[in-house]
Amino acid sequence: MKIYLAGPDVFLPDAVETGRRKQEICARHRLIGLYPLDNAVDLSAGDASLRIFRGNEAMMNGADAIIANLTPFRGASADAGTVYELGYMAGRGKLCLGYCNDPMLYADRVRKFTEVTSRGSRLVDTDGLTVEDFGLPDNLMMIHALELRGYPLVTPRQAPADLWHDLTAFEVCVRKAAERLPPPPASS
Amino acid sequence: MKIYLAGPDVFLPDAVETGRRKQEICARHRLIGLYPLDNAVDLSAGDASLRIFRGNEAMMNGADAIIANLTPFRGASADAGTVYELGYMAGRGKLCLGYCNDPMLYADRVRKFTEVTSRGSRLVDTDGLTVEDFGLPDNLMMIHALELRGYPLVTPRQAPADLWHDLTAFEVCVRKAAERLPPPPASS
């Protein structure tokens, strides 16, 4: 089973090494991890971003499943590129798994960035825009997509010390994906 | 042609009215706008968020196209739910259009929220995470998906006074979608 490894991991200072660690975990569970940075793209090319897009899309089309790192990225929600990819894979009918190293609920996360108040039955931010308050860790579209198309979002009970490098929740996803594999051939 | 009207418009204080305005613009161009809030969901139900998900997904499955409002939402990127839906529709092979009422480039948007510095050939935020710097208004996955699966992201030259209610860029998307329609029957 080939798994597309989506996440803002590609933005880490040790992005390549992080991908390698994820692929090793996949391999230990008899899965093949496809990591976006394995597509060699010349970043100095004028159309580098388009080449990255095409590489990622081809990788997703060749994968059976996605494991999306939905840890909040520059705000209360997951990284937009990762969310796009989760939607794309759900649209293609692929197996969808995801994890988030921040176990906070969405409304509480928003409170870290702006004041949230009650207006009637709604929670609103300082712009008067509704703050989703369904007791979920992020926008309901992603959360229920995972629940219905693969496995519910995996979150730790407590945020790990290193939000970007702790792969415990990731490995839970890998294990859940591996459960879909046929049993290994008998060794004797 | 049925168009799914995705966007954080559903979080506005006048969410229903905004949807109605969008649907009127669609109708003027012989298109049918499908707006998430047209799914009647009892918000006091224990599984309200799941019902919303199922309603939105059914609406997307019944639509020929999506027009996504990708105006930045609580941060430098578009609303996560909208981005998921754009990915989903791209994955299903539907026509994809989108607009963003903030014409700023992504790297400049990030600068509004955190310090951005150069590290070698990369721009990085205060956490050391790479800031995408391809001269695009948001994450490359969404931008190129629109370009290749429908019509390039529509942005105004200058942000309108009312970022959430100005529908000029939205109407450009509607017009572009309408160009795909067969010509209307001759009236005489």
Side-chain angles (χ1 to χ4, degrees):
Chain A
M1 188 193 282
K2 288 183 192 161
I3 305 211
Y4 183 72
L5 304 176
D9 311 65
V10 296
F11 301 128
L12 290 172
D14 55 348
V16 172
E17 170 59 19
T18 303
R20 213 167 283 147
R21 287 177 58 218
K22 285 188 154 184
Q23 287 174 318
E24 282 165 11
I25 292 172
C26 287
R28 278 210 299 278
H29 294 271
R30 300 189 297 131
L31 301 172
I32 299 162
L34 306 178
Y35 190 59
L37 296 187
D38 286 342
N39 292 316
V41 173
D42 174 5
L43 290 177
S44 67
D47 62 347
S49 67
L50 183 59
R51 292 186 197 192
I52 295 171
F53 176 88
R54 288 191 193 277
N56 292 357
E57 195 177 79
M59 235 180 207
M60 287 194 281
N61 291 341
D64 307 291
I66 182 173
I67 297 180
N69 176 358
L70 298 171
T71 305
F73 181 74
R74 291 190 187 127
S77 269
D79 165 53
T82 306
V83 172
Y84 171 88
E85 292 173 339
L86 176 62
Y88 183 82
M89 292 295 268
R92 308 274 293 179
K94 307 284 177 96
L95 181 68
C96 295
L97 303 102
Y99 68 99
C100 173
N101 273 342
D102 175 359
M104 255 192 186
L105 298 185
Y106 180 72
D108 293 328
R109 288 193 201 160
V110 174
R111 284 188 181 95
K112 293 199 293 181
F113 299 96
T114 179
E115 206 188 325
V116 174
T117 52
S118 292
R119 191 170 299 170
S121 59
R122 297 188 306 140
L123 290 183
V124 297
D125 65 16
T126 46
D127 293 330
L129 295 167
T130 302
V131 177
E132 259 193 40
D133 185 28
F134 293 115
L136 302 175
D138 207 330
N139 184 285
L140 68 91
M141 292 308 293
M142 289 117 70
I143 303 305
H144 290 305
L146 291 171
E147 206 177 281
L148 298 175
R149 310 270 169 263
Y151 190 77
L153 182 75
V154 176
T155 51
R157 218 164 287 174
Q158 255 196 315
D162 190 336
L163 215 60
W164 293 114
H165 294 94
D166 189 294
L167 296 181
T168 314
F170 170 76
E171 189 157 3
V172 174
C173 292
V174 173
R175 242 185 263 126
K176 288 296 159 189
E179 285 174 7
R180 310 278 179 128
L181 290 172
S187 58
S188 64
Chain B
M1 188 193 283
K2 288 183 191 160
I3 306 212
Y4 183 72
L5 304 175
D9 311 64
V10 296
F11 301 129
L12 290 172
D14 55 348
V16 171
E17 171 59 18
T18 302
R20 212 168 284 149
R21 287 178 57 218
K22 285 188 155 184
Q23 287 173 319
E24 281 165 12
I25 292 173
C26 287
R28 278 210 298 278
H29 294 271
R30 300 188 298 132
L31 301 172
I32 298 162
L34 306 178
Y35 190 59
L37 296 188
D38 286 342
N39 293 316
V41 172
D42 175 5
L43 290 177
S44 67
D47 62 347
S49 66
L50 183 59
R51 292 186 197 192
I52 294 171
F53 175 88
R54 287 191 193 278
N56 292 357
E57 195 177 79
M59 236 179 206
M60 288 194 282
N61 290 342
D64 307 291
I66 182 173
I67 297 180
N69 177 358
L70 297 172
T71 304
F73 181 74
R74 292 191 187 127
S77 269
D79 163 54
T82 306
V83 173
Y84 172 87
E85 292 173 339
L86 176 62
Y88 183 82
M89 292 295 268
R92 307 273 295 179
K94 306 285 177 95
L95 181 68
C96 295
L97 303 104
Y99 68 99
C100 172
N101 273 342
D102 175 358
M104 257 194 183
L105 297 185
Y106 181 71
D108 293 329
R109 288 192 202 160
V110 174
R111 284 187 180 96
K112 293 199 292 181
F113 299 96
T114 179
E115 207 188 327
V116 174
T117 52
S118 291
R119 191 171 297 171
S121 59
R122 295 188 306 140
L123 291 183
V124 296
D125 65 16
T126 45
D127 293 330
L129 295 167
T130 302
V131 176
E132 259 194 40
D133 185 28
F134 293 115
L136 302 175
D138 207 330
N139 183 286
L140 68 91
M141 292 307 293
M142 287 117 70
I143 303 305
H144 291 304
L146 291 171
E147 206 176 280
L148 298 175
R149 310 269 169 263
Y151 190 76
L153 183 75
V154 176
T155 51
R157 218 163 287 174
Q158 254 196 318
D162 189 336
L163 215 60
W164 293 114
H165 294 94
D166 190 294
L167 297 181
T168 314
F170 170 75
E171 188 156 6
V172 175
C173 292
V174 173
R175 243 185 261 126
K176 287 295 159 190
E179 285 174 8
R180 310 277 179 128
L181 289 173
S187 60
S188 62

